[in-house]
């Protein structure tokens, strides 16, 4: 299943625009084959597309988890 965000992905259309070989490798793996493993999609699905940093690599799941955890902690402290 292809990622619905692939055409407007800030990562591929910005940061990776001048690196076609690496860009195509990452797109195949994370945008075309198994989008459930994409760190960008994980953050977008949990927090919305505005929460996805432009420089978040699709294979950086640890950073995605940290972004989500920080947002959840921030949300909880605001409600205290």
């Amino acid at each position: 299943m292809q990622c619905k965000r692939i055409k407007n992905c800030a990562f591929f259309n910005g940061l990776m625009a001048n690196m076609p070989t690496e860009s195509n490798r990452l797109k195949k793996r994370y945008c075309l084959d198994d989008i459930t493993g994409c760190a960008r999609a994980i953050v977008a699905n949990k927090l919305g597309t505005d929460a996805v940093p432009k420089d978040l690599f699709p294979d950086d799941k640890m950073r995605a988890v940290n972004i989500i955890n920080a947002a959840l902690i921030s949300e909880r402290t605001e409600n205290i």
Side-chain angles (χ1 to χ4, degrees), residues 6 10 18-20 22-23 28 30 42 44-45 51 54 58 67-68 70-71 73 77-78:
I6 193 168
N18 295 324
M19 296 182 238
E22 183 66 7
S23 177
K28 181 177 180 346
Y30 294 102
I42 292 168
N45 290 338
K54 291 180 181 172
I67 291 166
I68 292 167
I73 289 169
T77 58
E78 287 176 5

Side-chain angles (χ1 to χ4, degrees), residues 8 16-17 19-21 26 31 35 37 46-47 49-50 64 66 71 77:
N8 299 317
M16 297 298 287
M19 296 182 238
T21 302
L26 289 169
C31 307
I35 64 169
K46 188 71 175 176
L47 304 175
T49 55
D50 290 342
N66 290 337
T77 58

Side-chain angles (χ1 to χ4, degrees), residues 26-37:
L26 289 169
K27 275 184 189 178
K28 181 177 180 346
R29 180 163 183 198
Y30 294 102
C31 307
L32 303 174
D33 288 346
D34 181 18
I35 64 169
T36 61

